[in-house]
Amino acid sequence: MNPPFFPNEEMDIYTLQANDNDYDYYGAKNEYVYKETIQVDIQPLSPTSSLREFGKILQDTYKVIFNIDTEISDTDQLRINDTKFEIVGSISTWNHVLPHKEILIKKQRKKVE
């Protein structure tokens, strides 16, 4: 099934996985492992939408729309053009006229391995 709307980017999904071979004080160390690449429709979040969602205007925040069948978790790390993003809030599933999933993402500012 093709994604709804107009896919304009490819997004790599990396999922968090425990590394049973590497431990620290807290237990098994977690690492991000490549899961898949999907086609998405990514749009900058407008100042009005940002105010409505967060009560303030956020920089480097985007709305992403993609195929409803995609398995994604709010702990996944996303990469678009080698830039790392994190999911803000919950994953929305829309099953009306054009079934799809929507997420809000924010560019990661901290260094993540």
Side-chain angles (χ1 to χ4, degrees), residues 5-60:
F5 307 104
F6 303 100
N8 57 3
E9 285 289 346
E10 286 188 343
M11 180 173 75
D12 299 328
I13 301 174
Y14 289 79
T15 192
L16 200 56
Q17 190 172 60
N19 183 351
D20 295 330
N21 297 328
D22 194 8
Y23 292 88
D24 63 8
Y25 179 76
Y26 301 102
K29 287 187 177 181
N30 294 325
E31 63 184 353
Y32 284 101
V33 177
Y34 173 78
K35 182 179 176 184
E36 67 179 312
T37 299
I38 62 171
Q39 293 288 318
V40 298
D41 180 2
I42 182 170
Q43 302 297 326
L45 195 62
S46 71
T48 304
S49 295
S50 182
L51 280 170
R52 185 174 52 246
E53 291 288 330
F54 305 105
K56 60 184 176 180
I57 297 175
L58 297 178
Q59 300 296 315
D60 297 327

Side-chain angles (χ1 to χ4, degrees):
M1 175 185 230
N2 290 329
F5 307 104
F6 303 100
N8 57 3
E9 285 289 346
E10 286 188 343
M11 180 173 75
D12 299 328
I13 301 174
Y14 289 79
T15 192
L16 200 56
Q17 190 172 60
N19 183 351
D20 295 330
N21 297 328
D22 194 8
Y23 292 88
D24 63 8
Y25 179 76
Y26 301 102
K29 287 187 177 181
N30 294 325
E31 63 184 353
Y32 284 101
V33 177
Y34 173 78
K35 182 179 176 184
E36 67 179 312
T37 299
I38 62 171
Q39 293 288 318
V40 298
D41 180 2
I42 182 170
Q43 302 297 326
L45 195 62
S46 71
T48 304
S49 295
S50 182
L51 280 170
R52 185 174 52 246
E53 291 288 330
F54 305 105
K56 60 184 176 180
I57 297 175
L58 297 178
Q59 300 296 315
D60 297 327
T61 306
Y62 304 88
K63 181 191 322 188
V64 180
I65 302 168
F66 53 94
N67 190 326
I68 195 167
D69 298 325
T70 302
E71 293 294 325
I72 192 166
S73 171
D74 57 0
T75 59
D76 288 346
Q77 183 184 84
L78 311 172
R79 295 183 190 175
I80 301 170
N81 296 326
D82 294 326
T83 302
K84 295 177 185 175
F85 293 87
E86 60 186 316
I87 298 173
V88 179
S90 300
I91 300 162
S92 301
T93 301
W94 298 87
N95 57 5
H96 302 289
V97 178
L98 292 173
H100 65 280
K101 287 186 180 177
E102 277 185 25
I103 55 174
L104 296 178
I105 62 172
K106 179 176 72 168
K107 188 185 292 186
Q108 284 188 335
R109 301 240 183 256
K110 60 186 174 192
K111 183 180 179 199
V112 176
E113 301 275 329

